Amino acid sequence: MGSPFKGGNGSFMFNADKPHFFKIILQETIADGKLGIPKKFVRLYGKGLSNKVLLEVPNGTVSEVELFKSDGKIWLQNGWKEFAEHYSLALGSLLVFEYKNSCHFHVLILDKTAMEIDYSFSMTDGDEEPDLEGEFQQPRTEETNDDDVSVEILDDFPSYHKTNKKSSRTMS
């Protein structure tokens, strides 16, 4: 399933026919374990919201979260904390919500650097150890004639060259 936020050429593309809102994760969001839905969105679309909503990220993973309604405000609450922990939401994270229907939102998550997160990492359940086989490159070693000396070669290690440019000015 392709990303609902990306066009055919991979560029960002939002469907203007669907309402959107964004939320920045604040300290109170983390402490309270809930996320408020903007008042204007609630005023325009709140009557159509169901008690449980689905939050779908661009890789197709769907999480169920319950809505809590109080004094004209609506909060994502039961299930929100798990969603936030799973995607490592932190102070300053930005979420863009696209309203699909009464119980379905597409959610785009940006980290503190304003870059979209990598959704492909999935947490394991229970006591299972994550299978990282092949995830990291194993270093090659080459031995020399001396038995206790080896060299570690990293294939894809970036090289940075520092250049020292001396000023052409002369002291008088």
Side-chain angles (χ1 to χ4, degrees):
M1 176 179 200
S3 170
F5 297 115
K6 294 190 179 175
N9 62 2
S11 63
F12 283 119
M13 181 177 82
F14 291 101
N15 183 348
D17 296 335
K18 305 280 183 183
H20 293 78
F21 66 88
F22 75 91
K23 293 296 289 188
I24 297 172
I25 301 300
L26 304 174
Q27 187 60 42
E28 67 188 39
T29 307
I30 296 167
D32 295 346
K34 62 184 181 180
L35 181 73
I37 295 179
K39 290 178 183 179
K40 184 173 181 180
F41 182 88
V42 172
R43 190 174 65 248
L44 295 173
Y45 305 100
K47 290 180 181 170
L49 290 173
S50 62
N51 290 335
K52 292 183 181 183
V53 295
L54 303 176
L55 303 180
E56 181 178 353
V57 296
N59 73 355
T61 302
V62 177
S63 300
E64 185 177 279
V65 178
E66 289 183 19
L67 295 178
F68 175 74
K69 299 176 184 181
S70 174
D71 300 325
K73 295 180 182 179
I74 297 181
W75 306 88
L76 293 169
Q77 192 165 2
N78 295 338
W80 170 253
K81 187 175 180 180
E82 293 77 11
F83 179 86
E85 287 174 359
H86 180 77
Y87 291 106
S88 302
L89 299 182
L91 183 66
S93 295
L94 174 75
L95 286 78
V96 179
F97 291 82
E98 178 186 28
Y99 183 58
K100 301 300 283 184
N101 61 44
S102 65
C103 66
H104 195 167
F105 289 92
H106 281 146
V107 183
L108 181 70
I109 304 171
L110 305 165
D111 65 19
K112 291 188 275 189
T113 66
M115 291 295 300
E116 185 173 7
I117 68 164
D118 180 8
Y119 304 94
S120 62
F121 180 76
S122 87
M123 305 299 283
T124 58
D125 294 327
D127 296 328
E128 277 184 52
E129 289 293 321
D131 181 18
L132 299 178
E133 188 72 30
E135 290 290 322
F136 300 101
Q137 178 183 359
Q138 294 295 321
R140 292 189 324 231
T141 59
E142 294 180 9
E143 293 187 23
T144 64
N145 291 338
D146 201 3
D147 288 338
D148 51 345
V149 176
S150 63
V151 176
E152 185 174 347
I153 300 170
L154 300 174
D155 286 335
D156 293 322
F157 194 74
S159 61
Y160 297 98
H161 300 287
K162 184 176 180 182
T163 59
N164 290 331
K165 293 183 180 180
K166 294 192 178 188
S167 175
S168 59
R169 291 186 198 167
T170 57
M171 300 283 291
S172 357

